[in-house]
Amino acid sequence: MFPFLALLDSEPVDEELLLAVSRVAPVIARSGSTPESTIRYFLVEDSTSTDVNEIITLLDNGADKAIVPLSLAKGLLGTVPPHRLLLLLDVANVSAVSDSVRNAVSGVLLKTSSSSGFGFDVDLVHSVSRFFVGAAVHVLAPDLPTPSIIRKLAAVGASVVIPFSQLTLGSTSQTMISIADAFLAPIVSDRSDGLFPTVVSSDPQGKRSLGLVYSSCESVAESIRTGKGVYHSRKHGLWRKGETSGATQDVVRIRVDCDTDALEFSVIQHGAGFCHLNRASCFGDLDGLAALERTLALRLVDAPQGSYTRRLFNDEELLKAKIMEEADELCRAKTNEEVAFEAADLIYFTLARCVAAGVSIRDIERSLDKKAMKISRRPGNAKQQWLPKAEPPKAELPKAEAPRASSTPSSKPPFDRNGPIQMQTVDISAVSLEDRAKLLKRPVLRSDEMIAKVKPIVDDVRARGDSALRELTAKFDKVQLDTPLLLPPFYPLAPEAQHLDPAVRDAIDAAYSNVYKFHAAQIDGAPLVVETMPGVTCTRFARSIARVGLYVPGGTAVLPSTALMLGVPAQVAGCEKIVMATPPRADGSISPEVLYVAHKVGAHAILRAGGAQAVAALAYGTETVPKVDKIFGPGNQWVTAAKMLVQNDTDALVSIDMPAGPSEVLVIADDTCNPAFVAADLLSQAEHGIDSQVVLVASSLSETMLAEVEKEVDKQAHALSRVDIVRESVAKSLIVKTQGTDIAMEFSNDYAPEHLILHLRDAPAWVDHVKNAGSVFVGPYSPESCGDYASGTNHTLPTNGYARQFSGVNTQSFQKHITSQEVTMDGLQTLGPIVVTLADCEGLQAHANAVRIRLGM
């Protein structure tokens, strides 16, 4: 937070005043007339004469922030990052700001007027700052702000905007306020002598700390006015740095620390250095890039003739060749050590080129900063001269001669982005046992690496609760939330719910009915009671898991189907607390479809967070998020790694539904199949992602039929909006040729697919042969999509071969089973001696004694 902002309100601009202000405060302008070193905010007051593209151009050209009215802010949602936008508001219009706009800006400039009766109303500003939680609040009023007003506003997290016409380099008066007085107003020293600890850092050398000094109000005012490093010596008073030694400083910027009791001076240091020992810094000599820059600058001046460095500076072609040579070696480096070594060489020769051209590291940083400020992005394509040369097209073999099958599935064909979209073909009868085992494998999931990446996130949420949750949501989802938790009612009262398409609502109702009906039939209701011997009765009964967390992937996607598949069985099982977690949209809202499902399944809360941070909040609980006992739901690798991490933490006391991996389908088809149907089923999973697993097991299919399937895959894929994803996933997918359905089914059981689709003659008869699969789709009119959405079965299924030992999510996933036993006196007479004998055998005397004492043995 800056103590104040300065508004350019008159022309011409006093250059001396402008430079002084730019050292301590951002400058708000209505045009691009400010110095490049200034922190520049641009004010757009008339939305009718300025469009969105003009604002983007301003930001592309180096403006730090744009200050725009509400009407323009709505058009910039999702285009301009929140940290680049401030909202221009009249004090009377604060209530008109929606959550979506509030989350799309980093702060607000609040205009008040004398006629409104508000002026610098600190209580009003405080209430506005609570509405814009975590955002900057700036206040522009027609009255002259006093240092007292600036302090009061700072105390409620706000700063004042002062027109240039009210600022002066002289003393504060009835009509003007000194720049130094405005800057120093909120700063309070914690020292008895009233001095401010001051860190001095070098601006051109990567913000390196030069030393620690002290400042006084007088010295700060002098630095602001002159632009020179002026401090306060505790022995001699005012200290103009370098006045006698020549080691002077040009002040670039003066900043206040977060506690407003210390300062930082960013300076350009001249002469031998900051330290009285003629070193660059009181904390030691330069190192890293700054040291290399200094060394090269010295060698540019005094390198001996004929030396390697002199040759580099004098021979442009030699230096160019070395840069290209090192760039090529960096591209070829494999290990971390090789990359670091080659990068260091490249940086050396690159910096030599810069020093020879008079370009400093700070110049490079400024260029990088400018590029980072761009809102418009380049496509990022390489120039043609650096692209690999395309091989001339090979003559196409006649169809009868084209190779169709390989006996070495480990070989990978070159990826052709412009060729037909087709799968690899393998004849299972021609592969070795080793190669057959490779066909069953999925891509290796580096779970250990991902767990190491998510652990800091999980630990942060566990330690700091809601604060960490809000910060991580702002970081990863780019949304500022006042509270992460939504409570009922979700529908129809929530604002987002008003936008639910009636047709979608009806479809959700129908899907809910089918899913509920199928899962209600799975409920384990009546206890199991067995008398194992006379007088010994054993019972097993089910109880719902009390608190469950349901992770519904979201953000840019809308996944009400996952909310249904997790919410309905939780509702049927009678879970006492159902907490959904889903990433918020760009405006902080939840999709109306998910809200409606949450309403139907009776969810008790919705956590507006995604990723590892949401999993951590569910596992450990926060100030607002209730801790759950079991976490369900699919997600990306971050979510999966976080689930695996928390389930192994005994402090969390939480379980998960199952391990997860990329979506997959295996289709078994014989000569009765419809090639278009088969292709559509394969593509329905291939479009999930480039790591999706798609397998066609061809049961005695003719070459003609296989060619038809591949033709359909290529044709249908090109009609999809996600064709680029499909092209990559299909290229890694397989057609496995088998002789007969028995062999095809054997391969499928070994593969254990998430989804198994049977395009077979008398398909229902083959269901009995299925041993391992997440869910089976029987016959030509049972597309996998039906199970994904509305047939009634659950689409949260085991992947990566885990169908060998895991079931898909079902009602009993939300239940646990408890056993009990009741032994009568007569029963113990029979059972007791057996127990005593076994306890004695194991050497557990107290176990045996618990029976003996009852039987008087």
Side-chain angles (χ1 to χ4, degrees):
M1 177 68 72
F2 297 97
F4 74 97
L5 282 68
L7 172 65
L8 278 171
D9 62 337
S10 60
E11 296 284 350
V13 180
D14 183 325
E15 291 296 330
E16 186 181 7
L17 185 68
L18 177 59
L19 287 173
V21 168
S22 69
R23 294 177 188 122
V24 294
V27 174
I28 303 174
R30 295 181 175 91
S31 67
S33 60
T34 56
E36 196 168 296
S37 61
T38 307
I39 299 175
R40 294 174 291 173
Y41 295 2
F42 286 96
L43 177 63
V44 180
E45 294 179 281
D46 184 4
S47 60
T48 60
S49 61
T50 307
D51 64 19
V52 169
N53 290 329
E54 289 178 78
I55 293 170
I56 292 174
T57 300
L58 278 173
L59 295 169
D60 280 346
N61 289 338
D64 291 87
K65 295 181 190 288
I67 307 170
V68 299
L70 185 59
S71 55
L72 275 176
K74 293 176 180 177
L76 294 166
L77 292 180
T79 302
V80 177
H83 73 276
R84 304 291 298 282
L85 279 181
L86 288 171
L87 186 63
L88 177 64
L89 270 186
D90 187 271
V91 69
N93 296 330
V94 174
S95 60
V97 180
S98 65
D99 283 350
S100 59
V101 172
R102 179 177 59 177
N103 289 321
V105 299
S106 59
V108 59
L109 193 158
L110 190 66
K111 290 181 69 176
T112 67
S113 63
S114 298
S115 60
S116 69
F118 293 115
F120 291 114
D121 187 327
V122 176
D123 290 336
L124 172 69
V125 174
H126 192 199
S127 66
V128 172
S129 68
R130 287 200 300 268
F131 179 74
F132 286 92
V133 61
V137 177
H138 311 292
V139 184
L140 174 62
D143 310 316
L144 177 69
T146 63
S148 174
I149 287 292
I150 296 173
R151 277 192 292 274
K152 289 177 180 178
L153 287 174
V156 298
S159 59
V160 67
V161 178
I162 309 176
F164 264 70
S165 58
Q166 295 178 350
L167 288 167
T168 178
L169 285 169
S171 301
T172 297
S173 66
Q174 294 291 328
T175 58
M176 309 281 278
I177 185 169
S178 158
I179 298 172
D181 286 348
F183 175 74
L184 292 166
I187 305 174
V188 180
S189 174
D190 59 0
R191 293 173 52 88
S192 59
D193 56 12
L195 298 179
F196 310 115
T198 301
V199 175
V200 184
S201 62
S202 175
D203 188 73
Q205 293 171 339
K207 294 297 181 186
R208 178 183 174 85
S209 295
L210 300 182
L212 178 67
V213 297
Y214 291 94
S215 297
S216 62
C217 292
E218 182 186 5
S219 70
V220 172
E222 184 77 359
S223 283
I224 293 173
R225 184 182 64 81
T226 63
K228 298 297 182 181
V230 182
Y231 309 105
H232 189 96
S233 167
R234 287 170 293 174
K235 291 182 179 179
H236 307 294
L238 207 62
W239 167 34
R240 291 177 174 84
K241 173 65 179 161
E243 193 171 42
T244 56
S245 67
T248 59
Q249 297 173 339
D250 295 327
V251 174
V252 177
R253 186 158 295 118
I254 307 174
R255 291 188 288 193
V256 186
D257 82 326
C258 57
D259 294 324
T260 62
D261 59 5
L263 300 174
E264 181 199 36
F265 274 53
S266 292
V267 303
I268 297 173
Q269 178 68 55
H270 300 290
F274 180 85
C275 182
H276 70 286
L277 299 177
N278 291 330
R279 295 187 307 202
S281 166
C282 291
F283 301 109
D285 207 353
L286 297 176
D287 56 14
L289 291 178
L292 175 60
E293 180 183 35
R294 183 183 64 180
T295 298
L296 287 171
L298 293 173
R299 289 180 181 175
L300 179 64
V301 175
D302 59 14
Q305 289 297 328
S307 67
Y308 184 38
T309 307
R310 176 56 60 194
R311 288 177 57 212
L312 285 175
F313 287 134
N314 291 347
D315 189 341
E316 290 187 4
E317 290 302 316
L318 172 63
L319 184 54
K320 176 182 175 181
K322 289 302 299 181
I323 291 172
M324 296 180 70
E325 173 190 325
E326 298 302 338
D328 180 68
E329 290 182 0
L330 175 60
C331 293
R332 297 173 187 275
K334 300 298 183 185
T335 67
N336 291 356
E337 292 77 10
E338 289 173 351
V339 170
F341 184 89
E342 300 301 344
D345 281 351
L346 178 59
I347 290 171
Y348 175 87
F349 292 108
T350 302
L351 201 50
R353 173 75 178 90
C354 292
V355 168
V359 174
S360 69
I361 290 176
R362 186 61 184 132
D363 294 329
I364 298 170
E365 289 176 338
R366 276 195 285 265
S367 180
L368 287 171
D369 289 342
K370 283 183 181 179
K371 290 178 171 66
M373 300 286 275
K374 294 282 187 183
I375 302 298
S376 307
R377 297 297 182 188
R378 296 178 296 179
N381 300 324
K383 292 181 179 179
Q384 195 64 38
Q385 70 192 90
W386 303 114
L387 291 173
K389 300 295 186 291
E391 294 183 8
K394 296 179 180 179
E396 186 175 346
L397 293 172
K399 195 69 179 178
E401 298 176 23
R404 292 207 48 82
S406 168
S407 61
T408 56
S410 58
S411 61
K412 184 177 179 181
F415 181 67
D416 185 357
R417 190 166 291 281
N418 299 311
I421 298 175
Q422 60 186 14
M423 305 162 73
Q424 302 176 59
T425 303
V426 175
D427 190 332
I428 199 68
S429 65
V431 301
S432 64
L433 289 177
E434 181 182 358
D435 285 338
R436 187 182 189 278
K438 291 179 181 177
L439 291 176
L440 302 174
K441 288 185 176 180
R442 277 66 157 184
V444 176
L445 300 177
R446 305 301 295 267
S447 58
D448 53 342
E449 294 180 5
M450 282 308 306
I451 287 174
K453 290 178 180 179
V454 302
K455 191 176 187 305
I457 297 173
V458 171
D459 289 345
D460 193 20
V461 174
R462 181 181 181 184
R464 297 195 300 120
D466 283 349
S467 296
L469 203 53
R470 283 193 296 267
E471 290 173 16
L472 291 164
T473 301
K475 177 180 179 180
F476 295 120
D477 297 314
K478 312 303 180 189
V479 179
Q480 296 283 349
L481 299 176
D482 50 356
T483 176
L485 207 66
L486 290 181
L487 299 175
F490 305 122
Y491 183 91
L493 298 181
E496 302 96 317
Q498 308 302 320
H499 303 294
L500 181 60
D501 185 335
V504 174
R505 183 190 61 214
D506 292 344
I508 289 174
D509 287 342
Y512 172 86
S513 177
N514 287 351
V515 175
Y516 191 98
K517 186 182 299 183
F518 185 66
H519 286 77
Q522 301 169 23
I523 194 76
D524 194 346
L528 172 68
V529 181
V530 177
E531 188 177 52
T532 57
M533 64 170 50
V536 180
T537 303
C538 296
T539 306
R540 190 190 78 160
F541 52 91
R543 294 288 184 269
S544 62
I545 296 173
R547 303 166 301 182
V548 294
L550 314 180
Y551 187 88
V552 180
T556 57
V558 178
L559 294 174
S561 59
T562 299
L564 275 173
M565 297 298 173
L566 300 175
V568 169
Q571 182 184 33
V572 169
C575 296
E576 296 173 13
K577 190 173 288 293
I578 301 172
V579 182
M580 281 190 183
T582 190
R585 298 188 293 185
D587 61 358
S589 65
I590 302 299
S591 77
E593 296 83 0
V594 172
L595 283 177
Y596 183 58
V597 174
H599 160 73
K600 288 192 72 73
V601 304
H604 299 84
I606 298 178
L607 169 58
R608 293 185 292 175
Q613 61 270 27
V615 174
L618 293 172
Y620 299 102
T622 70
E623 299 94 318
T624 59
V625 182
K627 181 201 172 342
V628 302
D629 302 311
K630 189 172 182 178
I631 300 173
F632 296 80
N636 60 21
Q637 55 185 341
W638 295 84
V639 173
T640 300
K643 286 170 66 178
M644 295 171 66
L645 177 63
V646 298
Q647 78 158 343
N648 289 319
D649 183 0
T650 54
D651 288 340
L653 282 178
V654 70
S655 66
I656 65 173
D657 46 1
M658 68 187 81
S663 189
E664 56 191 42
V665 66
L666 186 146
V667 178
I668 303 179
D670 64 14
D671 58 1
T672 65
C673 75
N674 182 321
F677 290 6
V678 172
D681 286 341
L682 294 168
L683 293 173
S684 70
Q685 289 304 297
E687 73 171 350
H688 273 296
I690 61 173
D691 54 358
S692 295
Q693 302 295 294
V694 177
V695 179
L696 169 61
V697 181
S699 174
S700 302
L701 277 185
S702 66
E703 293 297 322
T704 301
M705 184 73 85
L706 274 176
E708 282 296 312
V709 172
E710 290 197 271
K711 179 180 176 183
E712 282 291 333
V713 167
D714 185 56
K715 182 178 77 172
Q716 294 181 35
H718 278 97
L720 299 173
S721 61
R722 298 167 71 89
V723 61
D724 289 338
I725 291 174
V726 168
R727 180 182 293 278
E728 292 198 48
S729 59
V730 168
K732 294 178 287 187
S733 300
L734 289 174
I735 297 174
V736 179
K737 297 171 64 174
T738 68
Q739 296 300 314
T741 306
D742 286 322
I743 298 174
M745 190 62 70
E746 181 184 356
F747 180 85
S748 173
N749 283 326
D750 288 342
Y751 189 86
E754 177 189 16
H755 304 99
L756 170 61
I757 304 177
L758 303 179
H759 286 276
L760 297 172
R761 182 183 291 103
D762 193 16
W766 286 100
V767 175
D768 287 343
H769 296 260
V770 177
K771 296 178 181 178
N772 301 317
S775 191
V776 185
F777 300 82
V778 185
Y781 296 100
S782 304
E784 182 272 335
S785 314
C786 290
D788 265 358
Y789 291 105
S791 66
T793 60
N794 207 289
H795 78 198
T796 308
L797 303 168
T799 62
N800 208 39
Y802 280 108
R804 297 182 186 91
Q805 56 273 103
F806 282 90
S807 305
V809 166
N810 55 75
T811 302
Q812 293 189 20
S813 303
F814 293 83
Q815 295 180 300
K816 57 184 182 291
H817 291 88
I818 303 170
T819 59
S820 69
Q821 46 269 302
E822 181 181 358
V823 183
T824 66
M825 183 180 294
D826 290 340
L828 190 60
Q829 294 288 343
T830 306
L831 182 63
I834 299 171
V835 173
V836 168
T837 299
L838 292 173
D840 286 342
C841 174
E842 293 185 352
L844 298 176
Q845 185 179 2
H847 280 65
N849 189 56
V851 174
R852 288 191 174 104
I853 199 169
R854 286 171 166 81
L855 296 180
M857 296 174 65

